[in-house]
Amino acid sequence: MDFTPTEEQAAAQGLAAQIFGDLATHERLAAAGTGTDTELWKELCAAGLTAAVEEIGLLGLVLLLEEQGRTTAQVPFAVTCAYGLLAVAEHGTDEQRERLLPPLRDGTAVATGAFPARDGLRADGEGRLSGTVPYVPWLRDATLVLVADADRVLWIVRTADPGVAVTPVETTAPWSAARLTLDRAPGERLGGPAGRTGAKSATGTAAYGAVLAASRTAFAGLQAGVCAGSLARAVAHTTTREQFGRPLSTNQGVLLRAADAHMDTEAIRVTAYEAAWRHDRGLPHAAQALTAAWWASEAGKRVVHAGQHLHGGTGADLDHPVHRHFLWGRQLDAYLGCGSEVLQELGQLLVKEGSQ
């Protein structure tokens, strides 16, 4: 394995770091509230960072999402790339790629995903979907939703179509989330029809598994950035804040807590890199994606708690920037499966692979 970024990946990451660092300031984030920073989103798309994801791959996307996570920038970058650009590029038909990718590249279309699959969401023989997904991130901004039905078939749903209802909800992290309610809403099958419309197929199930694995890897990269940003704030605070005439960072307990958080952050990062690297090279990566998701959940939770704890009383201030990292970290802890759920899924996968 070699996780050294290519020249294109390094350039994209540097540009992302500059844009997020310049525009995702505490003041702008506070002004955005629970919504999206539309000006920042336009800037990212104008810089070509969304379009670049098709060239730099999933590992490149992980690098970009790390930079977003460091600043907790409120833009639908992860969902548009994971559920839109990469999903359509890898699993769509030629016609779907030609029609759907250009607006996703330039940001005039925003995609998100109703994942994981839910038993109550069904497609009939005409490709019309019914059911409710209680929480979909960045759905308030989305023009397209990648919906996984109970049979794990993937459908593209347009939020402006009849039968589609979007009801805003507030979650731990301010991700412009909403409830998705479908009432015989028209769906377009990703990859085109396969036999009887809506029928379960090996191809459809494989596409679902691939998109879920890529999404878990992408959001693990986002969590790595969230944790790195939280830890950086904790280090800055403890090295400048004095108690009894010396910086807090000189206390052994503080050093040990920060060191543990650093090791957890690196574990999230390296497992996300491995899963993304294997994905880009066409190697089996289902177990690696689950491993990255487990570390993002379990270790991510520890890191953002440590970051807030190391700020002492300041960390209890809901308006302090470190609290935003705490909220994002806890949201990512359970998104696409909490630690225990992911661990069970990983165990079942390993047993299945061992019996083959």
Side-chain angles (χ1 to χ4, degrees), residues 202-293:
T203 303
T205 302
Y208 168 79
V211 172
L212 181 57
S215 301
R216 281 172 164 162
T217 303
F219 277 94
L222 185 62
Q223 180 75 302
V226 169
C227 291
S230 174
L231 183 58
R233 291 187 182 279
V235 169
H237 175 79
T238 56
T239 53
T240 56
R241 179 82 169 182
E242 293 191 357
Q243 189 178 57
F244 305 118
R246 62 178 186 175
L248 289 172
S249 59
T250 60
N251 294 311
Q252 189 178 42
V254 172
L255 290 172
L256 292 174
R257 191 79 192 275
D260 286 342
H262 171 73
M263 294 303 296
D264 273 338
T265 301
E266 289 303 300
I268 301 169
R269 177 182 288 115
V270 74
T271 52
Y273 284 5
E274 181 183 8
W277 181 86
R278 292 180 67 88
H279 169 277
D280 290 345
R281 280 153 184 77
L283 299 172
H285 60 281
Q288 287 76 15
L290 286 166
T291 302

Side-chain angles (χ1 to χ4, degrees), residues 30-53:
T34 61
T36 293
D37 187 336
T38 55
E39 293 304 316
L40 174 55
W41 177 240
K42 291 178 182 178
E43 186 70 22
L44 290 169
C45 296
L49 288 177
T50 48
V53 170

Side-chain angles (χ1 to χ4, degrees), residues 97-135:
R97 287 192 286 268
E98 183 178 352
R99 171 167 46 88
L100 298 175
L101 288 177
L104 290 170
R105 290 174 186 140
D106 63 23
T108 54
V110 172
T112 187
F115 274 64
R118 297 178 182 275
D119 290 339
L121 208 157
R122 298 282 179 178
D124 63 20
E126 298 177 352
R128 294 187 174 273
L129 292 93
S130 298
T132 300
V133 182
Y135 155 72

Side-chain angles (χ1 to χ4, degrees), residues 176-200:
S176 296
R179 178 184 298 107
L180 177 66
T181 304
L182 303 176
D183 183 9
R184 299 196 77 248
E188 175 187 353
R189 181 165 175 159
L190 182 65
R196 182 174 59 84
T197 304
K200 185 176 181 179

